[in-house]
Amino acid sequence: MDRSRSARDTMRDLLPRLVLSPTVALIAIFVYGFIAFTTYLSFTDSRMLPSYDLVGAGNYTRLFGLRTWDIALTNLAIFGTLYIAICCALGLGLAILLDQKIRAEGVIRTIYLYPMALSFIVTGVAWKWILDPGIGIEAVVQGWGWESFAFDWIKDRDMAIYTIVIAAVWQTSGFVMAMFLAGLRGIDGEMLKAAQIDGASTFALYRRIVIPQLRPASLSSFVVLAHMAIKSYDLVVALTNGGPGTATEVPATFMYSYTFTRNQMGIGAASAVVMLMTVAAIVVPYLYSELREKS
Amino acid sequence: MTFKKTAGILTGAALGCAATAASAQSVEVLHWWTAGGEAAALNVLKEDLASKDIDWQDMPVAGGAGEAASTALKARVTAGNPPTAAQLLGMQVREWAEAGALGDLTSVAEEESWGDVVPAAVQEFATHDGAWVAAPVNIHRPNWLWINAKIFEEQGLEPPTTWEEFNAAATQLQEAGITPLAHGGQPWQDTTVFDDVVLGIGGPDFYRSAIIEGDPEALSSETMVQVFDQMRTLRGFVDENFSGRDWNLATAMLLNGEAAMQLMGDWAKGEIVRADMVPGEDILCVPAPGTDGAYLFNTDFFALFDVSEDNRETQQELARSVMSPEFQKEFNLVKGSIPARTDIPGDDFDACAQTAMEDIAEAQENDALLGSLAHGHAQTSAVQRAIFDVVTEHFNSDMSSEDAVEELQIAVESAQM
């Protein structure tokens, strides 16, 4: 009796571990293993194929001496800031408007959410045509008779990075809206009624009661958007392919081109590690605060 | 009943597999020739191999003028599972040969005396330490100037032979409201034009020392400043909407009379023929300004990987077929290039290809048959892309020629490390 009971206990302890172990093993190899491999490569003299001769931090020194990397970082800063800020603002605005118990909410919500169902490549190609001065918005408006109308940002090296913001915001703000909407639905209606009885204006109601309660939703959106901004690759490739010139190069396109096209795998790996560190700098504090709250 | 059926199908399938494995050797070939004409031309090779009882396993990787294929190849080699053979460009052959990944074709090459028919400059890429490591398929010429004959006739212009004449003609065209130069603002296209300007202004010896040898003195010379000055002038001759345009769309502008000229390789012929026009008549082909007598080239090679004993014979058959005059002729008739063998008569080729065959013989005598930088026959990819960066950055901004020369020198130096 005792023995069978203890066997069942052991089984109960063991089973979850058994079931999870393949996943853990796969993640250990294919995520953490390759992170370690890439980090190792970033300290080697790898060029076309991986090499295992260590050269110290030389790749990092050279990486930060490269003009293209500078351009990529500046672009990431511009793109990341605007992308996150505009997506959050638009998403929150749409969510609040949708939350006014309007008719056909389901239909409208779906429409706003649909761009998220597209791949960034599709978005990129579509916006490339829409923004092309020869066939897109500029050509259409000029065709209507407004001859002097100009909208050629995508061909302008100073403005091209903003076209990527436009396309990315179009793609993701619906998703941010959905996250905020879920947050809004979680707010206790009684609290709002009480505030209204106390004579709070709608503006004050949102500013003092609703938006502060959306903190978890905004944190989640921030983390999701931030890592999407840092790893953005497909959208840039489809929309501008880094051009005009090198004006819209971002760290992800830089990493790909140095690792695979330019046969400078060491520098490519170094840039990948820098990107990983940037993502970690955003995600780790978030996870830390989440976990601390729970415990 | 069902079980029996399934078992029957399985046995049949197993037998079928065994049969294929036994009857034929196979070659797996990685390439990026997926466009209609190219794919059709490859069929010539497939059929030839089939007649020798060798089974062709296609591994096409389209995209980015071979960039995607090159990435796929690296992944397969690193994983220890390389294809039997792969299409490579000149510098890639050299880089792979240095990595020690390529098979030796010297015995076939000597037997078929490739050394006598392949131009020396092409052989330099096909051999490594005196051994043949790759079979050249074709010779492309990137330094063509394509001219819309009708526009030039209406404007009373003659094909320009120097950059001054080019600039004069372009200015006249611009005043007549025609875009002088059809161009697509992509780094490789910018650099294709850059190659022409370096060769046209500096001459073959300057091109060799600056571009092929990467000599810092040549790179920072006064001639290089003039080259960038001419690039800036050319920037004024393209339309506003050039940035990011694909080369074939630029060719379309030339064909429908929106633009008068294009600096592009002979693959543009495919577009010309498809538009029912005749290369050499409706669209004239002349060497890029100042490059008459010289010949830039880029060549596609087949190199052999995975060189184990069992494969050797099959692979050598493949190389033999690639170098056979029949395949070289058939393939290049479709591809727009000229055969890598100089002993193939040009009778069936179009006027431009015939001119190319005469020019290449002349260039070989003058020691002016030079590898193209834009198309991977002059520098390692690290240095090549570093030069791309500077050229395209200069072309797309208002960077001064002096700054560009300085950037160029720094870029080349740091990429060589």
Side-chain angles (χ1 to χ4, degrees):
Chain A
M1 182 73 192
D2 259 12
R3 189 182 280 173
S4 84
R5 185 172 178 80
S6 89
R8 199 190 290 161
D9 276 354
T10 328
M11 195 59 203
R12 201 175 52 196
D13 284 351
L14 220 59
L15 193 63
R17 289 183 207 176
L18 261 177
V19 172
L20 281 178
S21 55
T23 324
V24 172
L26 288 178
I27 289 179
I29 296 167
F30 289 106
V31 177
Y32 297 100
F34 282 115
I35 287 177
F37 184 54
T38 307
T39 315
Y40 183 80
L41 284 184
S42 74
F43 292 105
T44 65
D45 60 354
S46 305
R47 293 183 78 90
M48 183 168 70
L49 297 170
S51 129
Y52 300 98
D53 301 331
L54 290 170
V55 291
N59 286 326
Y60 290 89
T61 329
R62 287 177 58 197
L63 175 67
F64 281 95
L66 285 169
R67 234 165 65 95
T68 331
W69 180 244
D70 257 11
I71 297 174
L73 285 184
T74 317
N75 280 339
L76 177 63
I78 299 175
F79 171 71
T81 319
L82 287 176
Y83 172 61
I84 295 171
I86 300 177
C87 267
C88 283
L90 266 183
L92 180 62
L94 287 173
I96 289 175
L97 291 178
L98 261 188
D99 197 34
Q100 307 301 317
K101 310 219 162 37
I102 54 168
R103 206 184 300 165
E105 187 206 307
V107 177
I108 297 173
R109 198 176 50 206
T110 315
I111 290 174
Y112 285 137
L113 203 50
Y114 251 129
M116 195 64 193
L118 295 178
S119 109
F120 267 121
I121 290 284
V122 179
T123 309
V125 172
W127 278 94
K128 180 179 168 179
W129 291 336
I130 295 171
L131 294 168
D132 188 299
I135 51 173
I137 297 176
E138 182 178 301
V140 170
V141 175
Q142 286 181 353
W144 286 342
W146 185 359
E147 298 281 337
S148 63
F149 178 81
F151 185 61
D152 57 354
W153 284 10
I154 198 166
K155 305 277 174 182
D156 181 341
R157 43 184 287 108
D158 297 322
M159 304 305 281
I161 187 71
Y162 301 106
T163 63
I164 295 175
V165 177
I166 295 177
V169 163
W170 176 83
Q171 166 112 341
T172 0
S173 48
F175 168 71
V176 179
M177 173 205 77
M179 285 173 77
F180 278 125
L181 200 57
L184 284 173
R185 295 284 147 85
I187 290 172
D188 186 3
E190 296 301 316
M191 208 188 290
L192 301 182
K193 277 181 197 151
Q196 271 166 339
I197 291 168
D198 284 346
S201 69
T202 317
F203 180 73
L205 198 70
Y206 274 100
R207 203 181 137 216
R208 303 261 178 217
I209 299 176
V210 175
I211 294 178
Q213 290 200 56
L214 289 176
R215 190 172 149 267
S218 20
L219 247 181
S220 311
S221 340
F222 174 75
V223 170
V224 170
L225 292 174
H227 91 263
M228 279 172 94
I230 292 167
K231 71 176 191 190
S232 60
Y233 172 81
D234 30 11
L235 180 67
V236 180
V237 167
L239 194 63
T240 62
N241 205 4
T246 50
T248 51
E249 204 76 54
V250 291
T253 58
F254 177 96
M255 190 280 290
Y256 183 86
S257 103
Y258 271 74
T259 313
F260 299 112
T261 337
R262 295 173 186 238
N263 290 350
Q264 290 182 289
M265 198 176 273
I267 295 182
S271 70
V273 171
V274 172
M275 282 165 66
L276 175 74
M277 292 300 160
T278 322
V279 175
I282 294 166
V283 175
V284 170
Y286 167 73
L287 286 180
Y288 183 74
S289 73
E290 285 285 289
L291 293 175
R292 200 185 47 187
E293 266 169 35
K294 288 209 177 100
S295 61
Chain B
M1 180 63 203
T2 329
F3 170 75
K4 263 190 188 164
K5 225 187 209 167
T6 321
I9 291 169
L10 283 178
T11 325
L15 282 176
C17 287
T20 12
S23 78
Q25 295 152 303
S26 68
V27 285
E28 188 186 18
V29 183
L30 189 150
H31 64 90
W32 62 86
W33 284 322
T34 48
E38 297 170 340
L42 265 189
N43 266 332
V44 181
L45 187 58
K46 284 179 206 174
E47 279 160 22
D48 189 31
L49 287 173
S51 73
K52 295 178 184 168
D53 211 19
I54 297 173
D55 184 32
W56 173 286
Q57 287 178 1
D58 215 21
M59 189 192 168
V61 182
E67 256 176 51
S70 156
T71 310
L73 180 63
K74 277 178 222 168
R76 297 255 328 235
V77 173
T78 314
N81 175 31
T84 327
Q87 179 193 358
L88 295 176
L89 291 172
M91 284 311 286
Q92 291 177 317
V93 176
R94 197 169 286 176
E95 286 175 82
W96 280 111
E98 274 162 16
L102 301 185
D104 191 344
L105 288 170
T106 313
S107 60
V108 190
E110 277 171 1
E111 198 180 305
E112 309 238 319
S113 44
W114 294 355
D116 301 338
V117 290
V118 176
V122 178
Q123 279 187 41
E124 252 175 61
F125 289 103
T127 55
H128 182 70
D129 284 342
W132 282 80
V133 291
V137 181
N138 56 14
I139 299 175
H140 275 298
R141 185 185 203 182
N143 65 321
W144 282 116
L145 174 66
W146 303 94
I147 294 173
N148 186 315
K150 199 165 144 241
I151 296 180
F152 261 52
E153 201 173 314
E154 283 167 4
Q155 295 292 322
L157 287 168
E158 286 292 317
T161 57
T162 63
W163 283 108
E164 285 85 46
E165 286 178 31
F166 180 94
N167 294 345
T171 313
Q172 184 186 331
L173 287 161
Q174 208 160 29
E175 277 160 11
I178 301 162
T179 303
L181 186 62
H183 180 65
Q186 294 172 339
W188 72 269
Q189 293 189 55
D190 296 338
T191 312
T192 301
V193 174
F194 177 76
D195 278 359
D196 295 345
V197 178
V198 173
L199 184 61
I201 289 183
D205 291 332
F206 179 74
Y207 183 91
R208 184 174 292 117
S209 61
I211 302 296
I212 296 181
E213 288 158 12
D215 173 21
E217 231 167 84
L219 283 174
S220 59
S221 63
E222 187 52 35
T223 317
M224 202 46 105
V225 177
Q226 287 172 27
V227 167
F228 278 106
D229 283 344
Q230 177 62 32
M231 290 299 286
R232 176 63 65 240
T233 312
L234 288 176
R235 176 70 175 78
F237 293 145
V238 302
D239 65 323
E240 274 176 11
N241 205 9
F242 77 101
S243 166
R245 176 188 287 141
D246 288 324
W247 69 270
N248 52 338
L249 299 181
T251 307
M253 290 173 62
L254 174 76
L255 299 180
N256 63 26
E258 266 175 68
M261 298 180 273
Q262 185 184 19
L263 288 156
M264 184 48 63
D266 42 23
W267 44 90
K269 272 194 291 195
E271 300 294 311
I272 300 172
V273 172
R274 210 165 302 152
D276 284 333
M277 294 172 112
V278 183
E281 284 177 31
D282 301 315
I283 302 294
L284 308 178
C285 47
V286 295
T291 67
D292 197 16
Y295 198 108
L296 290 182
F297 75 92
N298 66 298
T299 290
D300 293 296
F301 295 88
F302 273 120
L304 306 183
F305 287 80
D306 189 19
V307 278
S308 56
E309 275 301 322
D310 332 340
N311 277 339
R312 183 160 301 159
E313 217 153 289
T314 329
Q315 288 181 319
Q316 296 195 336
E317 280 308 322
L318 170 71
R320 218 167 289 203
S321 298
V322 166
M323 286 302 285
S324 72
E326 297 76 36
F327 170 69
Q328 292 257 331
K329 184 177 160 191
E330 287 296 322
F331 184 81
N332 285 295
L333 276 174
V334 179
K335 187 77 165 65
S337 40
I338 61 172
R341 299 175 68 111
T342 46
D343 61 344
I344 291 170
D347 306 337
D348 293 332
F349 286 84
D350 60 59
C352 297
Q354 286 174 358
T355 315
M357 288 175 178
E358 285 162 23
D359 287 358
I360 200 170
E362 189 194 336
Q364 237 183 310
E365 266 169 40
N366 301 340
D367 200 16
L369 177 59
L370 300 159
S372 147
L373 169 74
H375 302 280
H377 283 73
Q379 286 289 353
T380 58
S381 26
V383 176
Q384 181 204 21
R385 300 287 159 156
I387 300 179
F388 274 26
D389 283 349
V390 179
V391 170
T392 196
E393 191 67 13
H394 169 267
F395 197 73
N396 281 286
S397 68
D398 50 9
M399 190 190 280
S400 76
S401 303
E402 286 75 17
D403 287 352
V405 166
E406 206 184 309
E407 286 283 337
L408 185 69
Q409 214 188 331
I410 297 170
V412 170
E413 219 166 274
S414 68
Q416 275 168 342
M417 281 200 297

